[in-house]
Coordinates of all heavy atoms in Angstrom, one line a residue:
E102 N -5.5 8.7 -2.2 CA -4.3 9.6 -2.1 C -4.1 9.8 -0.6 O -5.1 9.7 0.3 CB -4.4 10.8 -2.8 CG -5.6 11.7 -2.4 CD -5.7 12.9 -3.3 OE1 -5.3 12.9 -4.4 OE2 -6.2 13.9 -2.7
P103 N -2.9 10.3 0.0 CA -2.7 10.5 1.4 C -3.7 11.5 1.9 O -3.9 12.6 1.2 CB -1.2 11.0 1.5 CG -0.7 10.3 0.2 CD -1.7 10.4 -0.7
G104 N -4.3 11.4 3.1 CA -5.2 12.3 3.6 C -6.7 12.2 3.1 O -7.5 12.8 3.8
A105 N -6.9 11.4 2.1 CA -8.3 11.2 1.6 C -8.8 10.2 2.4 O -8.2 9.2 3.0 CB -8.2 10.9 0.1
P106 N -10.2 10.2 2.4 CA -10.9 9.0 3.1 C -10.7 7.7 2.4 O -10.4 7.7 1.2 CB -12.4 9.5 3.1 CG -12.5 10.5 2.1 CD -11.1 11.1 1.9
N107 N -10.7 6.6 3.1 CA -10.6 5.2 2.5 C -11.7 5.1 1.4 O -12.7 5.7 1.4 CB -10.8 4.2 3.5 CG -9.5 4.1 4.5 OD1 -8.6 4.9 4.4 ND2 -9.6 3.3 5.4
F108 N -11.3 4.2 0.4 CA -12.3 3.9 -0.6 C -13.6 3.4 0.0 O -14.7 3.7 -0.3 CB -11.8 2.9 -1.5 CG -10.7 3.3 -2.4 CD1 -9.4 2.9 -2.3 CD2 -11.0 4.2 -3.5 CE1 -8.3 3.3 -3.1 CE2 -10.0 4.6 -4.4 CZ -8.7 4.3 -4.2
V109 N -13.5 2.3 0.9 CA -14.6 1.8 1.6 C -14.2 1.5 3.1 O -13.1 1.4 3.3 CB -15.2 0.6 1.0 CG1 -15.7 0.8 -0.4 CG2 -14.1 -0.5 0.8
T110 N -15.2 1.2 3.9 CA -14.9 0.8 5.3 C -15.8 -0.5 5.6 O -16.9 -0.5 4.9 CB -15.2 1.9 6.3 OG1 -16.6 2.3 6.2 CG2 -14.3 3.1 6.2
P111 N -15.4 -1.3 6.5 CA -16.3 -2.4 6.8 C -17.7 -2.0 7.1 O -18.0 -1.0 7.8 CB -15.5 -3.1 8.0 CG -14.2 -2.7 7.7 CD -14.2 -1.3 7.3
G112 N -18.7 -2.7 6.6 CA -20.0 -2.4 6.9 C -20.6 -1.7 5.6 O -21.9 -1.7 5.5
N113 N -19.8 -1.2 4.7 CA -20.3 -0.5 3.5 C -20.8 -1.5 2.5 O -20.3 -2.6 2.3 CB -19.1 0.3 2.9 CG -18.8 1.5 3.4 OD1 -17.6 2.0 3.5 ND2 -19.7 2.3 4.1
A114 N -21.9 -1.1 1.8 CA -22.3 -2.0 0.6 C -21.4 -1.6 -0.6 O -21.1 -0.4 -0.7 CB -23.7 -1.5 0.3

Side-chain angles (χ1 to χ4, degrees):
E102 59 186 34
N107 289 354
F108 288 107
V109 291
T110 57
N113 286 144

